[in-house]
Coordinates of all heavy atoms in Angstrom, one line a residue:
R576 N 22.0 0.2 -20.1 CA 21.5 -0.3 -18.9 C 22.8 -0.8 -18.0 O 22.8 -0.7 -16.8 CB 20.7 -1.7 -19.1 CG 19.3 -1.4 -19.6 CD 18.6 -2.6 -19.6 NE 18.8 -3.4 -20.9 CZ 18.7 -4.7 -20.9 NH1 18.4 -5.4 -20.0 NH2 19.0 -5.3 -22.1
A577 N 23.9 -1.3 -18.6 CA 25.0 -1.6 -17.9 C 25.6 -0.4 -17.3 O 26.1 -0.5 -16.0 CB 26.0 -2.3 -18.7
R578 N 25.6 0.8 -17.9 CA 26.1 1.9 -17.3 C 25.4 2.5 -16.1 O 25.9 3.0 -15.2 CB 26.2 3.1 -18.3 CG 27.0 4.4 -17.8 CD 27.4 5.3 -19.0 NE 28.2 6.4 -18.5 CZ 28.7 7.4 -19.3 NH1 28.4 7.3 -20.7 NH2 29.3 8.3 -18.9
N579 N 24.0 2.3 -16.2 CA 23.1 2.9 -15.3 C 22.7 1.9 -14.1 O 22.5 2.4 -13.0 CB 21.9 3.4 -15.9 CG 22.0 4.7 -16.8 OD1 22.2 5.7 -16.2 ND2 22.2 4.6 -18.1
K580 N 22.7 0.7 -14.3 CA 22.3 -0.4 -13.4 C 23.4 -1.4 -13.1 O 23.2 -2.2 -12.2 CB 21.0 -1.2 -14.0 CG 19.8 -0.2 -14.1 CD 18.6 -1.1 -14.5 CE 17.4 -0.1 -14.8 NZ 16.2 -0.9 -15.3
G581 N 24.6 -1.3 -13.7 CA 25.6 -2.2 -13.3 C 25.7 -3.2 -14.4 O 24.8 -3.6 -15.2
S582 N 26.9 -3.9 -14.4 CA 27.2 -5.0 -15.4 C 26.5 -6.1 -14.9 O 26.2 -6.4 -13.9 CB 28.8 -5.1 -15.6 OG 29.4 -5.4 -14.4
W583 N 26.4 -7.1 -15.9 CA 26.0 -8.6 -15.6 C 26.8 -9.5 -16.5 O 27.4 -9.2 -17.5 CB 24.5 -8.6 -15.7 CG 24.0 -8.6 -17.2 CD1 23.7 -9.5 -18.1 CD2 23.6 -7.4 -17.8 NE1 23.3 -9.0 -19.2 CE2 23.1 -7.7 -19.1 CE3 23.6 -6.0 -17.5 CZ2 22.7 -6.8 -20.0 CZ3 23.0 -5.0 -18.3 CH2 22.7 -5.5 -19.6
R584 N 26.6 -10.8 -16.2 CA 27.5 -11.7 -16.9 C 26.5 -12.6 -17.8 O 25.4 -12.9 -17.5 CB 28.2 -12.7 -16.0 CG 29.1 -12.0 -15.0 CD 29.9 -12.7 -13.9 NE 30.8 -13.6 -14.5 CZ 32.0 -13.1 -14.8 NH1 32.5 -12.0 -14.6 NH2 33.0 -14.0 -15.3
I585 N 27.2 -13.1 -18.9 CA 26.4 -14.0 -19.9 C 27.3 -15.0 -20.2 O 28.5 -14.9 -20.3 CB 25.9 -13.1 -21.0 CG1 27.0 -12.4 -21.8 CG2 24.8 -12.1 -20.6 CD1 26.6 -11.7 -23.0
D586 N 26.7 -16.1 -20.7 CA 27.5 -17.3 -21.3 C 27.6 -17.1 -22.8 O 26.7 -16.6 -23.6 CB 26.8 -18.6 -21.1 CG 26.7 -19.0 -19.7 OD1 27.7 -18.7 -19.1 OD2 25.8 -19.7 -19.2
I587 N 28.8 -17.4 -23.3 CA 29.1 -17.1 -24.8 C 29.9 -18.4 -25.4 O 30.5 -19.1 -24.6 CB 29.8 -15.8 -25.1 CG1 31.2 -15.7 -24.2 CG2 28.9 -14.6 -24.7 CD1 32.4 -16.2 -25.1
S588 N 29.9 -18.3 -26.7 CA 30.7 -19.4 -27.4 C 31.8 -18.6 -28.1 O 31.3 -17.5 -28.6 CB 30.0 -20.3 -28.3 OG 29.2 -21.2 -27.4
Y589 N 32.8 -19.2 -28.4 CA 33.9 -18.4 -29.2 C 34.8 -19.5 -30.0 O 34.8 -20.6 -29.7 CB 34.8 -17.6 -28.3 CG 35.6 -18.4 -27.3 CD1 36.9 -18.7 -27.6 CD2 35.1 -18.8 -26.0 CE1 37.7 -19.5 -26.7 CE2 35.9 -19.5 -25.0 CZ 37.2 -19.8 -25.4 OH 38.0 -20.6 -24.6
E590 N 35.3 -18.8 -31.1 CA 36.2 -19.6 -31.9 C 37.6 -19.2 -31.5 O 38.2 -18.0 -31.8 CB 36.0 -19.3 -33.4 CG 37.0 -19.7 -34.3 CD 37.3 -21.3 -34.2 OE1 36.7 -22.1 -34.8 OE2 38.4 -21.5 -33.4
P591 N 38.4 -20.0 -30.8 CA 39.7 -19.7 -30.3 C 40.8 -19.2 -31.3 O 41.8 -18.6 -31.0 CB 40.2 -21.0 -29.4 CG 39.3 -22.1 -30.0 CD 38.1 -21.4 -30.5
R592 N 40.6 -19.7 -32.5 CA 41.6 -19.3 -33.5 C 41.4 -18.0 -34.1 O 42.4 -17.4 -34.7 CB 41.6 -20.3 -34.7 CG 42.1 -21.7 -34.3 CD 41.7 -22.8 -35.2 NE 40.2 -22.9 -35.3 CZ 39.5 -23.6 -36.2 NH1 40.2 -24.4 -37.0 NH2 38.2 -23.6 -36.2
N593 N 40.2 -17.3 -33.9 CA 39.9 -16.0 -34.4 C 39.0 -15.4 -33.5 O 37.7 -15.7 -33.5 CB 39.4 -16.1 -35.8 CG 39.2 -14.6 -36.5 OD1 39.3 -13.7 -35.9 ND2 38.8 -14.6 -37.8
M594 N 39.4 -14.4 -32.8 CA 38.6 -13.7 -31.7 C 37.9 -12.5 -32.2 O 37.5 -11.6 -31.4 CB 39.4 -13.5 -30.4 CG 40.0 -14.7 -29.8 SD 38.7 -15.7 -29.2 CE 37.9 -14.9 -27.9
D595 N 37.7 -12.4 -33.5 CA 37.0 -11.3 -34.1 C 35.5 -11.4 -33.7 O 34.8 -10.3 -33.7 CB 37.1 -11.2 -35.5 CG 38.5 -10.8 -36.1 OD1 39.3 -10.5 -35.2 OD2 38.8 -10.9 -37.3

Side-chain angles (χ1 to χ4, degrees):
R576 280 189 284 153
R578 184 169 188 178
N579 290 281
K580 297 183 180 181
S582 62
W583 67 92
R584 300 176 75 80
I585 57 173
D586 292 330
I587 57 97
S588 294
Y589 64 94
E590 167 52 86
R592 294 164 298 174
N593 185 352
M594 295 300 294
D595 290 353

